[in-house]
């Protein structure tokens, strides 16, 4: 069985993102969880998903490969990764917003 990789793409979002602007936020941080074997593809998929949902990216802070033993105490991320591996659909973590 081939091991599937998941990447966590950490993004900072701008206040001109339509969903953030609508709620009056000045910005947000979110992690995009992407199932792929390629780090470049993970970044491209995160950018595409965010753009399609109306978000503007200020910065991609970092990209890391999900390692289960490093995340075993983070139930949110582990649950999202499990869902992503089940259907290969990318997902977001909870948004950390500011400036409301």
């Amino acid at each position: 069985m081939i091991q599937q990789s998941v990447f966590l793409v950490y993004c900072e979002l701008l206040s001109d993102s339509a969903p953030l602007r609508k709620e009056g936020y000045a910005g947000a941080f979110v992690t995009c969880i992407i199932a792929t074997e390629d780090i470049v593809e993970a970044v491209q998929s995160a950018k595409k998903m965010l753009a399609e949902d109306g978000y503007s990216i200020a910065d991609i802070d970092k990209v890391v490969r999900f390692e289960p033993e490093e995340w075993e105490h983070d139930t949110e991320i582990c649950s999202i990764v499990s869902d992503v591996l089940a259907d290969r659909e990318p997902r977001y973590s909870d948004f950390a917003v500011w400036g409301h």
Side-chain angles (χ1 to χ4, degrees):
M1 181 174 174
I2 296 173
Q3 177 70 24
Q4 296 180 355
S5 292
V6 174
F7 287 91
L8 308 177
V9 183
Y10 294 82
C11 301
E12 180 181 355
L13 306 176
L14 295 169
S15 62
D16 68 350
S17 299
L20 297 178
R21 187 176 57 245
K22 178 180 174 187
E23 297 296 323
Y25 293 115
F29 289 107
V30 68
T31 303
C32 300
I33 296 93
I34 312 288
T36 181
E37 295 301 318
D38 182 73
I39 192 170
V40 173
E41 184 179 325
V43 171
Q44 291 170 342
S45 293
K47 287 179 178 180
K48 180 181 179 201
M49 177 172 70
L50 287 163
E52 287 175 351
D53 290 342
Y55 294 101
S56 298
I57 301 171
D59 188 33
I60 293 180
D61 182 48
K62 64 182 173 181
V63 182
V64 297
R65 186 184 304 269
F66 175 79
E67 300 292 344
E69 61 279 355
E70 293 178 20
W71 293 91
E72 64 188 355
H73 301 292
D74 190 323
T75 56
E76 177 199 4
I77 293 295
C78 288
S79 176
I80 296 169
V81 167
S82 178
D83 292 342
V84 167
L85 284 172
D87 62 15
R88 308 279 301 167
E89 291 294 322
R91 289 179 173 74
Y92 299 122
S93 68
D94 288 340
F95 285 72
V97 296
W98 65 87
H100 194 265

